[in-house]
Amino acid sequence: MSDRRFFVGGNFKMNGDKASLDVIINNLNTVDSPNDVVVAPPSPYLSYVASKLTSNVKVSAQNCYKVAKGAYTGEISPAMLCDLGISWVILGHSERRHVFNEKDELIGQKVKHALQSGLNIIPCIGEKLDEREAGVTEQIVFEQMKHIKDNVEDWSRVVIAYEPVWAIGTGKTATPAQAQEVHEKLRKWLADNVSNEVAQSTRIIYGGSVNSGNCKELAQGKDIDGFLVGGASLKPDFLEIVKANA
Ligand code: 13P
């Protein structure tokens, strides 16, 4: 077993209201785990959730912009997140890439600015179905990694999320072998392009239709250091996923 601490993130996406979040928070307040557990509510609820969590569960934003302030209507900045005591942010999620058309270059700029501002980041990468079928998965995820890597100085504040786009919200989870295969290649890529030390210490987590039924088997992959969970993070099942490695 690696000495990388298992990491489970819950990405609520654009879901929840105060009443349903209260139920989730009550559940999260029972979490007693040595793992890192981080949840990402929609931005209007960041402070609400953070103020009600009594357990060791941390709060993350789902996105932020590449500068500290200014005339960018609708955006939120890392400085604002830090001001609220929020310590994590997800960047480059596939829905940001494919629904909001965010490109690698912008995601790289966000990575740089978020780290410079003191946040911990969860940059996301992953291939689309046609890319997997065309046999270019590696090429795609390595290119995405390059834009992230070029903007990272402190890898201790980075958790890479590999989320194959075809597995997100579809119920089609990557098999444990498919996930492990890509994670292993990503770790080798880090060794070849950053350093062996960073490759060994950086958490690479899997996302895409993770649930209480498939999490334990996925967690056995030696390069799978945790999960980024969408739909199931809104359900009581999330507590099972949090201890998938136990
Ligand atoms: P699902 O778990 O709903 O497939 O979503 C995964 C995801 O996008 C997490 O960021």
Side-chain angles (χ1 to χ4, degrees):
M1 226 173 122
S2 86
D3 54 8
R4 295 180 293 273
R5 188 193 301 226
F6 203 76
F7 183 105
V8 180
N11 175 7
F12 298 172
K13 309 194 178 185
M14 199 176 73
N15 294 296
D17 51 23
K18 283 201 274 182
S20 62
L21 289 171
D22 282 345
V23 175
I24 295 171
I25 292 163
N26 285 340
N27 255 324
L28 292 171
N29 281 341
T30 67
V31 167
D32 177 19
S33 167
N35 296 337
D36 281 334
V37 184
V38 175
V39 292
S43 57
Y45 296 105
L46 285 167
S47 281
Y48 183 77
V49 172
S51 71
K52 292 200 155 201
L53 280 171
T54 54
S55 58
N56 206 21
V57 175
K58 300 279 189 299
V59 178
S60 172
Q62 297 176 11
N63 183 30
C64 65
Y65 198 48
K66 62 174 177 175
V67 294
K69 62 177 182 170
Y72 302 102
T73 302
E75 294 294 326
I76 60 174
S77 79
M80 294 168 183
L81 296 174
C82 292
D83 191 34
L84 295 177
I86 306 300
S87 49
W88 287 88
V89 65
I90 298 169
L91 292 172
H93 187 274
S94 85
E95 287 139 23
R96 299 304 316 172
R97 291 176 186 269
H98 303 300
V99 182
F100 299 99
N101 212 19
E102 287 191 11
K103 301 288 179 230
D104 275 333
E105 191 188 6
L106 174 62
I107 294 161
Q109 291 164 337
K110 291 183 176 195
V111 161
K112 186 176 204 130
H113 182 62
L115 286 172
Q116 283 172 345
S117 306
L119 291 173
N120 300 285
I121 65 168
I122 308 168
C124 304
I125 59 172
E127 82 287 2
K128 294 187 282 185
L129 183 59
D130 58 330
E131 293 164 340
R132 173 161 282 260
E133 286 174 350
V136 294
T137 297
E138 267 173 62
Q139 216 172 301
I140 296 293
V141 296
F142 291 171
E143 182 64 21
Q144 292 168 334
M145 281 297 291
K146 186 182 167 346
H147 287 85
I148 294 165
K149 176 221 120 181
D150 286 348
N151 291 289
V152 174
E153 278 172 26
D154 178 1
W155 284 90
S156 70
R157 287 189 284 125
V158 181
V159 172
I160 301 285
Y162 168 59
E163 302 203 306
V165 181
W166 49 272
I168 296 179
T170 58
K172 269 195 224 162
T173 327
T175 64
Q178 280 174 322
Q180 167 57 26
E181 183 187 13
V182 178
H183 283 229
E184 190 171 353
K185 286 179 178 159
L186 289 169
R187 201 173 302 289
K188 177 161 186 333
W189 188 93
L190 282 172
D192 293 344
N193 292 277
V194 186
S195 72
N196 203 32
E197 195 192 337
V198 163
Q200 290 315 313
S201 59
T202 301
R203 271 92 53 95
I204 306 174
I205 63 175
Y206 168 79
S209 298
V210 176
N211 59 41
S212 56
N214 58 28
C215 62
K216 278 191 182 295
E217 205 186 338
L218 282 161
Q220 282 169 17
K222 73 175 172 45
D223 292 294
I224 297 177
D225 304 316
F227 302 115
L228 189 55
V229 185
S233 69
L234 300 163
K235 301 181 189 153
D237 281 30
F238 188 60
L239 297 197
E240 295 301 311
I241 303 172
V242 161
K243 45 187 190 190
N245 62 328

